[in-house]
Amino acid sequence: MTPLNLTTAIFLFFTYTVGLIFVIAVALRIYQYATTPQPIKLPLTPAPLTAGGAFARILGEVVFFKSLFKSNKPTWLFGYLFHIAFFLLIFMHFLRHFIYANPLPWWYDIFVDIGIVCGVVMVLSLFLLLMRRVVVERVKFISLFSDYIILILIMLIGLAGLSLNYVISPAALTVVDNQLDPYMNGLLNFQFTNIPSNPVFLIHYTLVLLLVLYIPFSKVMHFVGIFFSPTRNMVDNPEEERYYRPNAKDLSI
Amino acid sequence: MANPKDKYKIPVLDGKIPIPKIVPGASAYEHMNEAQKVDMEALGFPFKLKDGWKEKAIGVFKEILDNNKAVRDYMDICVRCGACTDKCHFFLGTADPNNMPVQRQELMRKVYRYYFTPSGFFKSLSNSQELTEEVLKDWFTYFYQCSECRRCSLYCPYGIDTAEITMAARQIMDSIGLGQKYATEVIHKVFRTGNNIGIPPLALRNTLDDLEEEIKEESGKDVKIPMDVEGAEVLLVPPSADFFAMPHMESLKGYAKVFYKSGISYTVSSYASEAGNFGMFLGSYKNTKEINKRIWDEARRLKVKRVVIGECGHAWRAAYTYSNTMNGPFDFLDAKYRQPMHICDFTLGLVKDGVIKLDPSANDDKVVTFHDSCNVARGSRMGDFKGGQIVIPRELIKAAANKFVELREGTTKESTYCCGAGGGLLTEEVMNLRLAGAMPRMQTVKEAVDNHGVNFYALICAICKTQFSKIFPLHGFEEEMVGGIHQLVSNAIIM
Ligand code: HEM
Ligand code: SF4
Ligand code: SF4
Ligand code: SF4
């Protein structure tokens, strides 16, 4: 086993730190949203009359962005493309780790091609979302600095990822791939090996760490908050079943 | 006398509802009058800002965050996607960017960031803001330019409910002594007299006598409107405007005839002579509960079997959604019935069971359209099926009148536009705001009048009725076009 270099040591440190902060901060948020009492019933009606119906309603929002579809088609389209591409990419990054073996399965190239399509779609839709913030007067007016930052950050991650396929040579990419697999394994079972040293890869990796660090403190927490939104997740049955939260203070409704 | 039309800024009606270009500060001048000392103290609030108000306000803010899941969640998760920006009638009417729902929320969210998130650290970059008197002034202006109608929530991908944020902001302002005159005065009246208008029991009895006489003259029948009768089957709680205001009283006559013909004994109460609940407008749990409690205390005292609520939007939301939570359970009432029940649900049931008969040709002089009151459509239900609050009023109208047309698609049912005067805005000092807020709805009314010859605008909300009877004439429509569903029932019922 080769001894670890300094770059690896630094990245290991930051990977674990960021991972820990992410998990703890998100868990705390979930705890907070889950335990804060909701003093009164608040479903936006017409609302489902059963718990199953309310769950389906949330699912419709999460899987199809139903309300957004009703309110603004372009935003829905750009946003939906972005999220689909984003989630497919995350999923494929994990999957890749399990299918990367020697020899490579015959369909590995197709797998990579799908990933590249997702990457392009993601970057393009992010660009359109960004343009929307610049061009549409109302959206420009409400946009904050952080709204641009998050779009640009994810876009850069996408661009760096695509560069791995198009900017560096195929040979260099194979080196990265071959080093990445044991490195990732090492993260999980603490048998550390050196991180791929290709600078394009390191930029991609660093930006991802930044994103993961930023998520719990940003509006991206909507991926948790949407499940706790009382106007969407509550059952419309105040008369049928008494809704009473003794721990709710007699304060604001 | 000056023509009222000169006094107001009346929007032009051409049937279109365009998204305006932003005009910062366009409605910043529209202010509520501040609350009076007696009223604030009666509601348990201090009067005027005192030393330490800022700490107090932040303390209350923290308490709300810790005790209200909706506010807690909605402070964090808005992505500023902008989907809500063109959905608020007040933005469409005023073009003031602070009336875009997300921007209204930001007024509060920037204070939230400053005190409750680490990003408060990067002040200018994160748009966080200390709670200053300047900010408080904006709050008092723009959180009283929201009618808590929830249209924005319908269109938000996360269902972020600006009405909840408005309520929380009003609650914080009230707790440091900054209240709105109209709503606090009205609530104080309820505590003193049992109703928003401040009618004492004797005067109430007198009007009821007058109404009985009127019905007798019109129909020749001895229709009674009993008050404070123990042992009646039903306690009827209408909004107090039904006792005194026009066209509201026409609906009260309708209720009375329905009870008369069905033979179900009923009573109104001089103690719970108000279905409305302005506590909700302030977002105050305590006051909402106190006002709501009067109904159920009275139901107990009068030993009735069921409670029926009259035509009023926010009143129905308060009664339907909060009653059981705040003052239930209602095991002393008859479990066969929904408690409380909406008068439209009640009447339609009787029509369907053949207990009362309606002759729709009695309304053949009318082409009727219906305005879904936002608090009914988006905040409550009638009947035992999803969407009953949309279906039941329409069925009742169709049973009482032959000619019915819908308003423009996309502005009815749960997508309805607010009348522009809910949430405690039904007050003279913000008349221009009310006109601007009613603009989107009035465009669709104009269209219905021009294309379908609509001449009756059916409502089930006391505030809507008052607002539109004031606004219609300013736009050159007859005030008599405005009326309740039970006004149609009153005409059509076969006595
Ligand atoms: C349950 C999972 C999620 C759901 C249902 C969801 C839903 C949404 C919706 C409805 C929007 C508004 C539409 C738009 O502007 O595109 C949005 C925006 C956004 N989401 Fe998500 N999201 C989820 C997870 C995530 C995650 C994990 C990220 C991670 C980076 C993310 C990043 C963003 C960003 C950056 C925006 C703002 C887009 C803009 O600025 O226009 N979302 N999301
Ligand atoms: S629609 Fe919802 S998430 Fe989008 S800007 Fe408005 S409040 Fe925020
Ligand atoms: S609740 Fe109604 S009035 Fe208030 S911001 Fe939303 S749409 Fe506008
Ligand atoms: S008065 Fe009617 S339309 Fe206006 S806010 Fe209330 S329920 Fe909605």
Side-chain angles (χ1 to χ4, degrees), chain B residues 360-401:
Chain B
S361 65
N363 284 311
D364 271 352
D365 56 329
K366 299 187 181 65
V367 182
V368 182
T369 191
F370 176 59
H371 165 85
D372 286 277
S373 292
C374 40
N375 273 301
V376 174
R378 288 190 286 265
S380 73
R381 173 164 53 99
M382 295 177 200
D384 54 8
F385 59 99
K386 179 180 168 184
Q389 75 275 29
I390 311 280
V391 174
I392 288 173
R394 284 174 171 73
E395 282 193 13
L396 187 55
I397 292 175
K398 286 175 191 163

Side-chain angles (χ1 to χ4, degrees), chain A residues 29 32-34 36-49 61 67-68 70-72 75 132-133 137-139 141-142 144-147 217 219 221-222 225-226 228-232 236-244 247-253, chain B residues 19 21-22 63-70 72-74 76-83 85-87 97 103 113 125 127 150 153-159 161 164 167 171 283 285 288 317 320-321 324-325 328 338-340 377-381 384 386 389 414:
Chain A
R29 269 297 159 83
Q32 197 177 35
Y33 292 151
T36 305
Q38 171 57 30
I40 41 98
K41 279 267 179 182
L42 198 63
L44 191 94
T45 59
L49 311 191
E61 297 294 352
S67 295
L68 186 60
K70 211 166 18 185
S71 57
N72 195 319
T75 308
R132 212 172 53 92
R133 293 204 182 272
E137 190 201 23
R138 282 167 291 126
V139 187
F141 190 92
I142 60 169
L144 305 179
F145 181 70
S146 58
D147 298 329
F217 309 99
K219 65 177 190 179
M221 285 314 287
H222 64 267
I226 189 169
F228 293 98
S229 173
T231 58
R232 293 290 187 269
D236 177 23
N237 61 354
E239 290 191 340
E240 288 82 356
E241 203 174 301
R242 182 158 191 245
Y243 177 86
Y244 181 59
N247 61 341
K249 281 221 179 121
D250 287 8
L251 195 66
S252 177
I253 48 175
Chain B
I19 301 170
K21 282 199 103 42
I22 286 171
E63 249 184 292
I64 292 178
L65 288 172
D66 289 342
N67 288 287
N68 189 313
K69 196 199 292 278
R72 162 81 269 171
D73 196 26
Y74 297 157
D76 287 331
I77 64 174
C78 168
V79 294
R80 283 164 300 282
C81 67
T85 51
D86 55 351
K87 303 299 186 283
Q103 209 58 13
R113 287 199 197 95
L125 287 187
N127 190 32
R150 309 177 95 200
S153 172
L154 174 72
Y155 289 104
C156 171
Y158 317 118
D161 188 352
E164 286 299 300
M167 287 176 187
Q171 187 59 17
Y285 192 106
T288 308
R317 181 179 174 198
Y320 169 79
T321 313
N324 205 357
T325 296
R338 310 184 61 75
Q339 307 287 3
R378 288 190 286 265
S380 73
R381 173 164 53 99
D384 54 8
K386 179 180 168 184
Q389 75 275 29
E414 69 266 30

Side-chain angles (χ1 to χ4, degrees), chain B residues 443-463:
Chain B
Q443 300 288 12
T444 67
V445 170
K446 162 93 176 151
E447 184 184 65
V449 171
D450 288 353
N451 296 354
H452 304 288
V454 161
N455 63 4
F456 192 84
Y457 189 57
L459 301 164
I460 43 170
C461 173
I463 294 175

Side-chain angles (χ1 to χ4, degrees), chain B residues 88-90 101 104 146-152 162-163:
Chain B
C88 177
H89 50 292
F90 284 119
R104 200 189 306 287
C146 169
S147 56
E148 302 174 349
C149 77
R150 309 177 95 200
R151 192 166 194 267
C152 44
T162 316

Side-chain angles (χ1 to χ4, degrees), chain B residues 182 196 239 241 248 278 281 311-315 375 419-426 434 459-469:
Chain B
Y182 174 60
N196 288 356
H248 310 59
F278 277 34
F281 294 161
E311 293 177 352
C312 187
H314 83 280
N375 273 301
C419 66
L425 310 190
L426 187 72
R434 284 163 56 186
L459 301 164
I460 43 170
C461 173
I463 294 175
C464 301
K465 286 174 193 168
T466 308
Q467 160 83 340
F468 286 118
S469 359

